[in-house]
Amino acid sequence: MAEEQRAENAEPGEVQGTAETTPAPRKNGVAPQVSDELAENMKHGWADTERQDLDPVPQAEHTARRRAALSARFPGERLVIPAGRLKTRSNDTEYPFRASVEYAYLTGDQTENGVLVLEPAGERGHDATLYLLPRSDRENGEFWLSGQGELWVGRRNSLTEAARLYGVPVKDVRTVPDVLREATGPVRVVRAHDAEVEKALADKVTAERDEELRVFLSEARLVKDAFEIAELTRACESTARGFEDVVRVLDRAEATSERYIEGTFFLRARVEGNDVGYGSICAAGPHATTLHWVRNDGPVRSGDLLLLDAGVETTELYTADVTRTLPVNGRFTDLQRKIYDAVYEAQEAGLAAVVPGAKFRDFHQAAQRVLTEKLVEWGLLEGPVERVLELGLQRRWTLHGTGHMLGMDVHDCAAARRESYVDGTLEPGMCLTVEPGLYFQPDDLTVPEEYRGIGVRIEDDVLVTEDGHRNLSDALPRRSYEVEAWMADLRG
C-alpha cells in the first residue's frame, strides 16, 4: 500500500495546488522526485469521464422537505451544517469517513469536507448551497501528487454531477471559509465536525444558539419518513441474514473465539450495507453480563450462551440494532431457559405497550414489572413487587433502560429535549428498540452459584404504526423453543 504523508513545506518535485501546498505522496517517508517530463506527461491523455445521465439520489425529495422544515424553524438566519473531515487513525492513515448525521440527513451526500449552507432569501425562506471538493486538477498535478488526489483515493463527483445528484447548487468548498467570514446577520452552525468552519464563524456564533440548531435537527428525526422506514426495514432484513450466518459457523467459532462471530457478521454488513452500525457485541459465556462487551476476544464454549447484539448499517447510514441470546450448542439448559423465558415475557409486555399515544416510558415500565415479578418469584428479591419497583432494587440485574430511538445513529435523536423524547409520547413513524435483559455477574454472591455468569437480552426494532406497532426484525425467532428449532435447521 502506498503511504502518504503531508509536509509543512514543499520539497523539490512537489506541486503547488490551487488552495494550498499539495505535497507529493511519500513512500517510506521519502518524497519522490518528479521530472519536468513526467509532470508534463501526467497532464495529458485522460478521457473525459463527466457523466450526463445522472438522476437525483432516491432521497432527494425527502432531503428537500427536511431542509424546508429547517428553513421554516430559523427564518432569516444563515445555517451551516458540515459533513466533517477525515480523522487520523495512526500516523498517516485515517479512519474510514462517515459524514455527520445532520449533514447526511439534509443532503443525502456522504463525502468528507462537505458543507451545507442555507442562506436567508426573504420570502423564499433560504437558498441552499452545497460546498464540495471538485474533481482533482490534472493541470497542476493535484490529481496524482496530492495525498487526497483522485489517483490515490478514487474519483469524486464533479460539482455539476453533484448538483444533479443532490438537487441543490454546488460550489467549491475551498471557498467556504471566505464565504463564512464575510457572512452578516445571525448565523448558526452544527459544531464538533469541522474546526475550519467553526474558526471562520468564531465571532459570529454562540454555543447556546448552535445547540438550538442541533436539538431541532435531532428532534426532526424522531418521526421517520417513508424513505427512512424503508432503510430501517432493509437494515433489519440484512441483520437477520447476518445472524443466520453466525449460527451456521458456531462450530468454527468454538474452535477460535468470539472474533470469528464478529468477523462473520461484519462480512454481511459490508456486503449488503455500509458497515456495522456500532461495535458488535459478541459476548459468550460470562461476557454476556457485560453490557458493552466489544473486545470479542473470549472463548465460545458448548453449554454457554452467546449474546449477539449487532446491526447492519445501510449504505444510506440507517442502522438496525438487534440482540438474540443463543445456546452455543443449540439447546438451552433448564436454568438458561427459565431466565430466557422470563426476558421473553418481559419483552412481550414491553412490545404490547408500544402504541401511538402511549408514553415513551410505558414500555420500559411494563418490561421492568415482569422482570421484577420473576426476581421476586425466584426468591432473589423480597417483595412485594411494588416496593421493589419503587426502590429500583431490580436494577442490580436489569441494569439498563428497555429501549431507545433508532435511525441514522444507533441511539438516534440523543440531543432531543426530554419533553420530546424520554418524557414524550409515541407517534406513528417513530422507530425504537425494545430490549429487556437479565444479567447475573460472575462475582455476584447474592444469587445462587448456578445463576452467576448468565446474561440474556432480547432486542427488536419496532416501528410505531397508526394502530399499534410493527416489529421490523421479526424474521428472527424469539421464543426459546423457536430459537432451538431455527438453529437446528440452519446447522443441518
Side-chain angles (χ1 to χ4, degrees):
M1 171 182 174
E3 298 177 354
E4 302 149 6
Q5 179 176 322
R6 295 178 177 85
E8 293 184 1
N9 299 303
E11 297 188 11
E14 295 177 341
V15 174
Q16 298 295 312
T18 56
E20 58 184 343
T21 298
T22 308
R26 296 166 177 250
K27 183 70 173 177
N28 299 322
V30 179
Q33 296 298 310
V34 176
S35 67
D36 292 341
E37 289 80 1
L38 177 57
E40 184 64 27
N41 177 275
M42 291 296 287
K43 294 179 183 180
H44 308 291
W46 305 104
D48 180 5
T49 62
E50 184 78 9
R51 295 171 292 177
Q52 304 295 333
D53 57 348
L54 292 175
D55 294 321
V57 296
Q59 59 177 309
E61 63 179 281
H62 298 285
T63 56
R65 177 180 45 74
R66 297 166 193 167
R67 292 192 300 271
L70 177 61
S71 173
R73 171 61 180 83
F74 298 104
E77 302 186 44
R78 182 173 279 98
L79 308 173
V80 183
I81 301 93
R85 293 173 178 258
L86 290 170
K87 292 182 173 62
T88 300
R89 180 181 185 274
S90 176
N91 191 23
D92 55 356
T93 61
E94 289 91 15
Y95 286 104
F97 179 75
R98 188 185 191 277
S100 73
V101 165
E102 296 87 354
Y103 175 86
Y105 177 75
L106 292 169
T107 67
D109 178 50
Q110 297 181 33
T111 54
E112 65 268 19
N113 300 339
V115 182
L116 173 68
V117 178
L118 272 63
E119 298 183 11
E123 294 182 358
R124 294 198 310 275
H126 286 80
D127 289 335
T129 303
L130 193 56
Y131 290 86
L132 299 172
L133 277 173
R135 297 290 309 280
S136 292
D137 193 318
R138 306 292 176 102
E139 185 65 26
N140 72 2
E142 177 191 2
F143 164 70
W144 66 292
L145 289 174
S146 166
Q148 291 300 314
E150 289 179 290
L151 187 67
W152 294 90
V153 299
R155 186 188 187 278
R156 293 192 288 267
N157 292 317
S158 72
L159 301 187
T160 302
E161 290 170 337
R164 291 196 190 101
L165 288 169
Y166 306 118
V168 292
V170 180
K171 296 181 180 179
D172 190 334
V173 73
R174 291 173 293 193
T175 67
V176 84
D178 289 338
V179 170
L180 297 180
R181 278 191 289 269
E182 295 169 4
T184 59
V187 183
R188 298 178 192 255
V189 64
V190 176
R191 298 192 178 203
H193 297 305
D194 193 318
E196 291 300 314
V197 166
E198 292 180 39
K199 181 179 178 182
L201 292 171
D203 61 345
K204 305 176 189 297
V205 297
T206 67
E208 182 179 4
R209 287 167 49 77
D210 292 346
E211 180 64 10
E212 289 175 351
L213 173 59
R214 188 173 79 103
V215 168
F216 174 81
L217 289 172
S218 190
E219 293 184 2
R221 301 197 307 276
L222 282 168
V223 176
K224 269 56 181 179
D225 58 36
F227 178 87
E228 295 178 289
I229 292 169
E231 285 296 306
L232 288 166
T233 301
R234 184 174 297 112
C236 287
E237 291 169 349
S238 289
T239 297
R241 288 188 284 272
F243 275 66
E244 292 174 352
D245 296 339
V246 167
V247 171
R248 291 189 180 100
V249 301
L250 276 178
D251 56 338
R252 277 171 269 178
E254 286 187 65
T256 53
S257 75
E258 295 161 339
R259 292 282 168 90
Y260 202 96
I261 294 166
E262 179 183 4
T264 298
F265 187 85
F266 179 70
L267 176 61
R268 177 66 65 173
R270 287 293 282 167
V271 168
E272 295 193 1
N274 176 61
D275 205 332
V276 290
Y278 52 96
S280 299
I281 298 169
C282 308
H287 289 163
T289 66
T290 300
L291 284 185
H292 295 151
W293 179 260
V294 292
R295 299 179 204 171
N296 298 334
D297 59 358
V300 180
R301 298 189 179 97
S302 179
D304 283 347
L305 296 177
L306 166 68
L307 190 156
L308 177 58
D309 184 337
V312 171
E313 177 186 77
T314 70
T315 55
E316 301 300 331
L317 307 185
Y318 288 83
T319 185
D321 180 9
V322 178
T323 306
R324 289 295 184 268
T325 305
L326 312 172
V328 173
N329 63 12
R331 299 287 296 179
F332 291 100
T333 67
D334 290 344
L335 180 59
Q336 289 169 350
R337 190 185 305 276
K338 181 176 82 166
I339 296 170
Y340 183 96
D341 288 348
V343 174
Y344 170 79
E345 289 182 39
Q347 194 198 29
E348 282 286 281
L351 289 169
V354 177
V355 294
K359 294 295 185 183
F360 176 81
R361 294 180 185 272
D362 287 353
F363 73 93
H364 167 70
Q365 293 168 350
Q368 287 287 297
R369 175 171 291 276
V370 172
L371 294 177
T372 301
E373 290 170 349
K374 296 297 182 180
L375 292 167
V376 171
E377 176 187 323
W378 298 341
L380 302 181
L381 286 172
E382 181 179 349
V385 167
E386 294 298 338
R387 168 184 170 274
V388 174
L389 287 169
E390 182 180 354
L391 298 175
L393 301 179
Q394 81 284 358
R395 292 179 61 184
R396 182 181 180 101
W397 301 293
T398 64
L399 299 184
H400 55 79
T402 307
H404 53 80
M405 292 297 178
L406 187 67
M408 297 182 82
D409 282 326
V410 66
H411 297 142
D412 207 26
C413 313
R417 296 166 298 172
R418 290 183 65 86
E419 59 265 33
S420 300
Y421 187 170
V422 295
D423 291 337
T425 300
L426 296 181
E427 300 178 37
M430 289 182 170
C431 189
L432 54 115
T433 67
V434 179
E435 50 175 311
L438 282 173
Y439 313 89
F440 300 101
Q441 304 302 318
D443 58 349
D444 189 347
L445 301 181
T446 70
V447 299
E449 184 176 359
E450 61 267 24
Y451 283 72
R452 299 172 198 165
I454 294 178
V456 173
R457 180 164 65 253
I458 310 171
E459 177 183 18
D460 284 274
D461 301 343
V462 182
L463 172 70
V464 183
T465 62
E466 295 289 343
D467 57 357
H469 67 264
R470 175 159 59 94
N471 187 341
L472 301 181
S473 50
D474 64 357
L476 293 171
R478 294 185 296 120
R479 295 178 185 270
S480 58
Y481 67 86
E482 291 175 342
V483 169
E484 290 174 329
W486 171 71
M487 293 181 69
D489 182 60
L490 288 172
R491 301 171 80 170

